[in-house]
Amino acid sequence: MTPDEQQPISTGTQPHIIIVGAGIAGMILAILLDKAGVPYTLLEKASRIKALGSAISFGPTVIPLFRQIGIFEEFEAIALPFSSIRSHDGEGNLAFTADFEPRTEMGGARTYIVARPKIYDILYNKIPKEKVLLNKRVLSVTEDDRCVRIECADGTFYEGDILVGADGAYSAVRQSIFKQLKKENKLPLTDDTAMPYNCVCLVGQTQVLDEEEFSVVGSSDCKFNNYISRTEPYFWVIFNTKQKTICWTVIQILNETSSKDLQESGNKGSEWGPEAAGAMAETVRHFRVPNGENHEPKTLGDLIDKTDKELISKVSLEEKVFESWYSSRTVLIGDACHKTNPAGGLGAQIAVHDAICVANWINALPSNTSEDIQHAFKNYKEERYPYALAAYKNSSRMITGNENTIVGMIIRLIRYYMPTWLWLRALKRTILYRPQVSFLPKVDDKGSVLPIDPPSFVKTKYMLEKMGRNPSSQEPSSAASSSPMIEE
């Protein structure tokens, strides 16, 4: 659209939403807004929806939402159930096994591993294509009391009542609003510093493999194996998918000096791009990978050789939880406001939770005034910030626990000797927050541990009922609380 043909802002009680970024968070939010009948436009800077990275994990804290929006059966068909992590040293000797199966009974759903491109396909197919605009790289964002306005690199402009920045760790939306907040002396000092690098990650997913050569791909569940080098600053993760492929990830842990050197070099992480992957791939080819007792031993090089080069990515990884999550009419979700290391396995999960919370508040807005919008954003951050911070701390501990250091060894010993009762208590804390949207019928939760009904559900459901919009006819569970326990 030219400046004279801008996307119209809403003229009724419902706001028009502009979502920037068609990743997990952006697409989930688009689906939820579509279900709620809230008008929106989804802008994506790429020329096509493409998922880089290998695979992601979803379990009891996300499955209720998948059931609500009607994608669980499709999801289950492309995913493998996952119940444990087997940790080894770099020579392949088993150190300990972390058993996650009790979460199934506690949370009422299994945990699954799914190839990232497959879940992207499911989500993208649920979004009306006329609402998705590709090749839309955001250059600037301006806001006033009436609307928010976006300028894209192709010369087009878009206006809406609310802008949601779901555009990842290097969010253009975040950079634009931070620039304005800094001019107004409202940007916290911690938000004005670069995200520190702590790892370099090489990730890929093989072609479909023959189980006669790679025995693990014939398994009916996901075999998740973690390896920690005794002599080098690396650990690597190997697991199989429903599609008979193997996902692999190698993480190089940076020390203070190498992290500083990378930051000073101006490296921007390549956003999961394939640049410079070849050199690192050569460095790690000799690392061992599992292949069953009666099969020829394999190395990471064997998997690299079976992986299409465009599906191998190298990225520098940062971790940071920002303090500023919103401005006047703009709000950030997912990696745009809290970037966690993928070693913790929580990034996609908390991004989905952000989308649920924001969708609940947007759908229940009493008006499109800046005051009501900012009140909704404030409630969103108050609910989600503690969980994002807990995920950040958890992923940081995961990295430290995989380091070849004294501290890393102590953490691994604690894991190995942890009493069962304490482990079960820790698992329970991970499944208490199982959010659903307040504007769709609430699905039955079959977990033995009652879920917390978060404020964004309880409050917005009440608001919708007061407005006569009759969301779900079911009542929140008896465990409803505005002060949920946070996993730390």
Side-chain angles (χ1 to χ4, degrees):
M1 295 180 185
T2 66
D4 294 328
E5 299 176 317
Q6 298 165 359
Q7 176 72 38
I9 61 174
S10 68
T11 56
T13 57
Q14 287 187 312
H16 184 94
I17 314 301
I18 300 176
I19 307 168
V20 175
I24 293 288
M27 288 195 286
I28 287 286
L29 181 59
I31 292 169
L32 293 177
L33 295 179
D34 211 62
K35 296 283 186 182
V38 175
Y40 68 92
T41 302
L42 176 58
L43 306 181
E44 167 56 43
K45 70 179 181 181
S47 59
R48 61 190 177 99
I49 306 299
K50 180 182 179 182
L52 292 173
S54 57
I56 49 183
S57 172
F58 289 122
T61 69
V62 171
I63 298 304
L65 186 276
F66 283 4
R67 293 187 186 278
Q68 261 196 316
I69 62 177
I71 68 168
F72 176 69
E73 286 75 18
E74 288 180 80
F75 165 77
E76 189 177 36
I78 62 167
L80 276 183
F82 151 81
S83 60
S84 66
I85 296 178
R86 293 165 55 88
S87 292
H88 310 72
D89 64 23
E91 299 305 312
N93 302 305
L94 180 65
F96 65 91
T97 299
D99 181 15
F100 293 92
E101 185 58 33
R103 280 170 38 107
T104 299
E105 184 262 339
M106 291 178 181
R110 303 195 72 173
T111 299
Y112 298 86
I113 294 288
V114 61
R116 188 177 287 264
K118 295 296 182 180
I119 187 64
Y120 268 52
D121 288 344
I122 288 178
L123 298 178
Y124 187 50
N125 287 335
K126 302 301 179 185
I127 304 171
K129 298 305 172 284
E130 66 272 14
K131 296 187 178 183
V132 182
L133 302 179
L134 303 175
N135 292 306
K136 297 296 178 181
R137 182 167 65 87
V138 172
L139 292 182
S140 66
V141 176
T142 55
E143 301 171 293
D144 57 34
D145 288 338
R146 187 183 69 92
C147 69
V148 59
R149 189 170 189 255
I150 298 173
E151 178 187 3
C152 294
D154 61 359
T156 56
F157 293 77
Y158 298 87
E159 284 188 355
D161 296 286
I162 291 174
L163 168 63
V164 180
D167 49 338
Y170 307 104
S171 169
V173 174
R174 184 187 69 235
Q175 293 170 24
S176 187
I177 65 172
F178 276 19
K179 183 178 180 181
Q180 183 59 37
L181 289 173
K182 188 174 183 179
K183 285 181 181 179
E184 299 170 359
N185 292 318
K186 295 179 180 179
L187 186 67
L189 182 61
T190 54
D191 285 352
D192 198 27
T193 57
M195 292 186 288
Y197 295 106
N198 62 2
C199 297
V200 175
C201 176
L202 187 71
V203 61
Q205 181 176 180
T206 69
Q207 306 160 359
V208 176
L209 300 176
D210 182 354
E211 61 185 272
E212 292 296 322
E213 183 179 4
F214 295 88
S215 63
V216 70
V217 299
S219 176
S220 60
D221 63 345
C222 180
K223 305 298 185 184
F224 199 104
N225 291 275
N226 182 54
Y227 293 80
I228 304 169
S229 174
R230 292 177 176 176
T231 58
E232 301 175 85
Y234 290 95
F235 69 93
W236 56 104
V237 175
I238 309 294
F239 54 90
N240 55 305
T241 73
K242 187 71 169 282
Q243 292 71 41
K244 295 187 179 296
T245 66
I246 292 178
C247 294
W248 52 269
T249 300
V250 184
I251 294 182
Q252 178 187 5
I253 302 172
L254 303 177
N255 58 31
E256 186 175 346
T257 300
S258 56
S259 175
K260 184 178 179 181
D261 290 344
L262 185 62
Q263 191 153 346
E264 290 178 349
S265 72
N267 187 298
K268 282 197 62 177
S270 300
E271 280 268 41
W272 295 101
E275 296 84 359
M280 185 172 176
E282 287 300 315
T283 301
V284 302
R285 287 185 61 88
H286 63 284
F287 292 168
R288 292 171 59 97
V289 300
N291 196 33
E293 295 181 358
N294 301 317
H295 290 73
E296 180 184 352
K298 297 292 184 181
T299 66
L300 195 57
D302 294 314
L303 300 183
I304 292 172
D305 292 341
K306 297 285 187 178
T307 304
D308 293 337
K309 296 300 180 283
E310 63 269 20
L311 296 181
I312 300 177
S313 302
K314 178 188 176 185
V315 64
S316 304
L317 299 175
E318 316 94 322
E319 288 189 296
K320 187 167 185 175
V321 178
F322 290 94
E323 294 296 323
S324 305
W325 286 28
Y326 62 90
S327 58
S328 176
R329 289 177 172 270
T330 301
V331 66
L332 305 173
I333 65 175
D335 284 358
C337 54
H338 47 71
K339 178 68 175 73
T340 63
N341 195 297
L346 297 173
Q349 170 183 293
I350 60 176
V352 172
H353 292 166
D354 286 354
I356 294 171
C357 188
V358 166
N360 277 334
W361 284 111
I362 286 176
N363 183 63
L365 279 172
S367 78
N368 298 332
T369 64
S370 293
E371 182 180 5
D372 281 339
I373 289 171
Q374 287 186 53
H375 179 69
F377 292 169
K378 179 176 181 290
N379 286 327
Y380 154 68
K381 186 193 172 186
E382 286 179 351
E383 179 177 323
R384 294 296 308 140
Y385 183 87
Y387 288 98
L389 190 60
Y392 164 80
K393 291 178 179 179
N394 181 73
S395 64
S396 294
R397 280 195 296 266
M398 288 290 292
I399 291 294
T400 303
N402 284 325
E403 290 178 352
N404 187 29
T405 62
I406 296 297
V407 175
M409 291 175 63
I410 291 172
I411 291 175
R412 293 195 291 276
L413 284 172
I414 291 172
R415 292 175 184 167
Y416 182 80
Y417 289 108
M418 182 179 291
T420 300
W421 68 266
L422 187 56
W423 175 244
L424 293 176
R425 181 180 176 184
L427 290 180
K428 178 181 176 180
R429 291 168 66 88
T430 69
I431 53 84
L432 290 174
Y433 188 83
R434 310 199 288 272
Q436 300 187 36
V437 289
S438 58
F439 50 85
L440 293 175
K442 194 177 184 187
V443 301
D444 291 335
D445 191 301
K446 301 184 184 302
S448 64
V449 176
L450 288 176
I452 291 166
D453 280 327
S456 59
F457 180 91
V458 176
K459 293 180 180 179
T460 61
K461 182 175 184 293
Y462 175 77
M463 292 167 67
L464 293 176
E465 290 172 343
K466 291 286 285 185
M467 289 186 281
R469 289 171 57 186
N470 189 29
S472 167
S473 60
Q474 299 185 34
E475 293 299 319
S477 77
S478 58
S481 168
S482 60
S483 301
M485 293 175 63
I486 308 297
E487 181 199 359
E488 296 185 352

